[in-house]
Amino acid sequence: MQLLLAVVSSGYAVGAALGWGSEELAEIMGDFGLSAAGLLAAVSCFTYARAIDSRERPAWLLFAFSSLMGCCGNAVWGWYEVVLGEAVPKPSLADFAFLCFAPPAIVGLLVLAKRPVTRAGWVCLGLDSWLIGGSLLTLSWSLALAHAARTAQSGAPGSVPRAALSLAYPLLDIALVSMVLVLHFRRSETNRSAVNTAIAALALTVLSDALFTSPLLSAEYQSGQLLDAGWFAGSLLLAYAPWGARRLHPGPDPVAHARAERPHSRPITGSLPALTPYLAAAVCTLGILYNVVDGRKVDRVVVFTGCTVVLALVIRQGIMLLDNIALTQELAQKENHFRSLVQGSSDVIMIAAPTGTLRYVSPAAAGVYGREAEELVGTELATLIHPEDLGRVVHEVRRFLAAPPAEEPTTRIECRFRSGGGEWLNVESTVNRHQGGLILNSRDVTERVRLQAQLQHSAEHDPLTDLPNRALFTRRVRQALTGRRAGDHSTAVLFIDLDGFKAVNDTIGHQAGDELLIEAARRLQDSVRAGDTAARLGGDEFAALILGDGSRDRSAREYQVHEIADRLRTTLSQPYRIAGSEVRVAASIGVAFADPGITPSDLMRNADLAMYRAKAGGKDRVEMYAPQMQAEVVRKAELAGRLRTALHDGEFALLHQPVVSLASGEISAVVAQARWRSAQGILFTPAEFLRVATYSEGGASEGEGGSTPRTAVPDASRTAELGRWLLEEAVGQAAERHRAGHDVPVAVRMTAQRLLDRSMPLGSVEALLTRNGLPSGALVLELAVSDPRVPFDDLERRLAALRRLGVLIALDGFGSGYAAISALRRLPVDMLKLDRGLVEGVVESPRLHKITAGLLRIANDLGMQSVAEGVDLPEQVMALRAMGCTHGQGMAFSGPLDEYRLRRALVRGTFPVPGGAAQPALAGGSPGGSMVIHRGSHNETPVPPA
């Protein structure tokens, strides 16, 4: 649009300069061409006024009316010159239309001007307008208007109307010029591009009018001359003003807005409004001087106008003086107010020049920095900042100054600042721009930084030992695997567990245990290298990160790390002096290396698996991770899942193995055992099913006449669930047999840990017996005590309560360790059950024969009945009976039986005993089991068949 406007205006100017080629075409273009341009401006302004809804609408409507008047005047002029071929009379309708051009434009400019908010503002607006208009009137009257006035006074025919027209045109132009200048200094900020373009269009029109009314051109003017190009361009520019501005600025431009808000130094433009009264007075003075030169008579109009201009100037200056006084007082009050705020603020306010030199420092610097404000003024800011922070601060300041102020008015910088005492303070500063420099609002945050550091340290370190905790250790491992050491696969992680630590807590107290952990942490920290990391993961578990040395020889690196781990094990296993006594614990250590592509969690898991393998292998040892360890964990998890499924789907069955009197062959009790029934109908023992679970409550057997080796339980909750199922099923089936007339006790094996478990309250056994109607003495609990750390006081109270319910207690696995002897000494036990290991070699080994005989004598001396588990051979029966053993359980009599075969055996009542006459009984099933007997006389009491 701008290019089209320039081309059309230039084309018209060139045509006018060349005379359009003919006088007739020149008149057409000079009259109807200008009329068309005025009509275009009128339509454009009117359309734009209807399209907007703001306080600017009346102004554009007035501009449309003003352009329409110009269009009509040129049309009338063309009617006379082109259509009628006559000279335009003076005055005529064209003059009336042209005279109506200026007033609407003047009012429109007043609408667009920024409205004063006070009465003094309105007075100043009027005074400024008269200063400009009066000075221009004085100069114009002296140059040309006085001649037109004298012509009107001459009394010649037609001179008055012509003189009036000659005076009206310049006077309206002077008024219009005054409004244009006033609006230039007081224009509104809204739609500035459109307003500026409209002002330029009206100014161009006024300039053309001024040239037309001047004595040099008014007598020789003809339509189509170059002067018409000014009016033509002014009309096109007014038509372009609203739409061109909207097209160039369709929406808010943030960049342009930011540039507009950026402060620029424009002293000349900013001073023009203040210089306007003086310029007006100067113009007025020139008019008066021109009027009196060469001895001319002073014109009264010039004198009167000059006096009014001077009076307006005096009034205007008086108002400005009063405003200045009020502003000075207000500025002084605000300055005092802000000085009080700055000087009383606890924050330090500093102003730095663009060179970095401090120009101002508030008095708070003495309390914050320990340095007087006068001492800091003139100092380079860079010399006060810690050298390690200086580069970061300079970079941030440069970035901030380069950013647009509208997008980032402030920034925040934190650095260390030198105090008067020489120490470094942590300072947080809010930075603002100030005349090319900076304003810094700073405060001392040293305590906050110190507190944050303490909180960070507490979040990442163990509160007892002050070693890194699991979170920090994991982050260090991640850094070792992903940082510059990412390709070094000789990095290793050690997991360390203190064996026997729980016994320290249980025996000498938790305070002593804490002291032991602190000492162990100190030893661990002293044993690792400076770049390595020692950590406490929780409880008595520690870890160490041994960074790699870049070695590519895996075997040599493994040997080196194994030596480090073994040295740690030896160091941690040294005696500890705690509370005046010597305490010993051992250390089990697992080692895993950072294989290619391994994640931190996998590396730590591998070290954890190796550590548990070290504990399972005998403790107080170092174990290197091997891939099969993870495969074994996966297999155990799968088997545990199969166990959960079997429990949920009811795939377990209950079998019973008889306990037989070695003297008569009579059945004295039955031992409940669980079996898993596969999809093919085959029964498996839990050990055959899992190969990993200790069947702690089931008394399971493995192989022909073999007992289950008891190992770690992968899912204690599922094992407890299986134990509850076994107890409930055994009691329920025993109650049914009692109602059928088979009064044979049932034995259920249970560990001491399970018996003390809170999930199995004392009342649950009583409620189970009552619900099923099982009489007193019909339930035997075979107690397995394999851990010497079992709290015997709690266990004794629990067993005593169970005996009051009529439950018999058998000590299982007697002769297999310290726990069995301690249990015999402290616990209320009704019978002893010999460990399978004693029975298996009792015939072949004279040494084992003597040990077994001695244990049986102990049982007889204590008045207890004895049961031998795993009696599979006739020779074992005869040997045990000769040593005084009263009962036996094993394949020499019968394997585990289902309910149907068990009842048939109970009906028969006896089994054949080697060396004595007895009727045959049913036998079969798989081996393994438990025992039982009646309380009372320790001589065997036969159980009659039903």
Side-chain angles (χ1 to χ4, degrees), residues 830-831 859-860 862-865 886-887 934 936-940:
D830 298 299
M831 59 201 70
N860 291 330
L862 293 175
M864 298 180 181
Q865 295 182 357
T886 58
H887 296 80
H934 292 295
S937 173
H938 294 296
N939 296 324
E940 181 184 0

Side-chain angles (χ1 to χ4, degrees), residues 579-621:
S581 60
E582 190 175 90
V583 178
R584 289 181 178 269
V585 294
S588 296
I589 302 178
V591 182
F593 284 91
D595 295 327
I598 195 170
T599 63
S601 58
D602 290 343
L603 179 58
M604 296 173 64
R605 179 206 61 198
N606 294 346
D608 197 21
L609 291 175
M611 184 265 290
Y612 277 106
R613 175 60 63 90
K615 293 179 71 69
K619 302 181 180 180
D620 194 18
R621 55 180 294 174

Side-chain angles (χ1 to χ4, degrees), residues 513-527:
D514 290 345
E515 294 180 11
L516 189 149
L517 290 176
I518 295 172
E519 177 63 20
R522 186 191 61 79
R523 295 184 185 182
L524 178 60
Q525 184 67 49
D526 293 342
S527 300

